[in-house]
Amino acid sequence: MPTDDDIFRALADPSRRRLLDRLHVTDGQSLGDLCEGLAMTRQAVAKHLAMLEAANLVVAVRQGREKRHFINRVPINEIAERWIGKFDQPRLSALSALKQHLEGEDND
Amino acid sequence: MPTDDDIFRALADPSRRRLLDRLHVTDGQSLGDLCEGLAMTRQAVAKHLAMLEAANLVVAVRQGREKRHFINRVPINEIAERWIGKFDQPRLSALSALKQHLEGEDND
DNA sequence: ATGACAGGCAACCCATTAGTTGCCTTTAAG
DNA sequence: CTTAAAGGCAACTAATGGGTTGCCTGTCAT
């Protein structure tokens, strides 16, 4: 079972987010597919995918000599619920609230 | 203006998430406050806070010789909307969908 | 069976980063 | 004015991480 940390750290890298994007566009791609057009070796991509798998953001299935990769939305949802939910308890656009708070410090 | 990457990478570290948690419980804490009970030097905490500030996840205000830190929910919201929203277009609990997809590969 | 294709494994390199120590600046209090 | 408290700055260290190269394994086609 991946921890919160696995997920956050997997999402921290732009290359990995890009891979997730590509899978979002076309799900079930092989390693070779995912390498196309990237300025990276196959091995680098494989490592990234391994981390995404470890974080359970991607589920991979070996199919013959290929390996299909599928995006898994569940961990992102959990993060969203545990984190965004928590920080949004007061109200969703806390922007103005914070600004008012800070500006209020002055003329108090 | 912080980039997506700033935010993701700021969130990637457990210590920084912990700091955000503490600010979520008690907003407006000083550096000294935030150091209490942590197995880290003040300088380490200061660095983390600097990164959170750079990502705009925390807004700090100098008040006399103290520096108050306030959590800012806006970037998290943006991430949530841009990312979770994107990946949840189909439906919020894509869990079963994915499972069915994978299991479908077998008995096909 | 043999060759080509898709991927896995392991060692290594360089850059980043989390953390430290040591010292300097600013502000409040006696 | 002096001193202690709250931070800031800078240099350094150790570990992590993204990426590479080189080679091995397994699978499909001929």
Side-chain angles (χ1 to χ4, degrees), chain A residues 83-84 86-90 94-99 101-102, chain B residues 11 16-29 34 49 52-53 55-61 68-77:
Chain A
W83 262 71
I84 286 85
K86 168 161 71 180
F87 287 133
D88 281 349
Q89 274 163 15
L95 168 72
S96 50
L98 179 73
K99 277 191 176 166
H101 183 107
L102 293 179
Chain B
L11 288 173
R16 286 192 286 272
R17 290 198 302 277
R18 194 136 173 262
L19 286 171
L20 283 181
D21 272 338
R22 298 183 81 158
L23 284 179
H24 179 241
V25 172
T26 312
D27 208 9
Q29 291 186 73
L34 289 166
L49 288 172
L52 290 171
E53 265 191 81
N56 202 30
L57 288 160
V58 158
V59 179
V61 190
R68 312 308 274 279
H69 298 83
F70 298 91
I71 200 171
N72 182 11
R73 292 158 181 88
V74 178
I76 295 191
N77 278 334

Side-chain angles (χ1 to χ4, degrees), chain A residues 46-104:
Chain A
K47 274 195 186 179
H48 284 305
L49 288 173
M51 280 182 245
L52 290 171
E53 265 191 80
N56 201 30
L57 288 160
V58 158
V59 180
V61 190
R62 201 116 202 208
Q63 232 180 19
R65 64 180 165 182
E66 294 195 342
K67 192 179 178 185
R68 311 309 273 280
H69 298 81
F70 299 92
I71 201 171
N72 182 11
R73 293 158 182 88
V74 177
I76 295 191
N77 278 333
E78 287 176 357
I79 288 290
E81 280 165 33
R82 291 238 287 282
W83 262 71
I84 286 85
K86 168 161 71 180
F87 287 133
D88 281 349
Q89 274 163 15
R91 81 194 116 297
L92 211 97
S93 66
L95 168 72
S96 50
L98 179 73
K99 277 191 176 166
Q100 281 168 16
H101 183 107
L102 293 179
E103 288 162 6

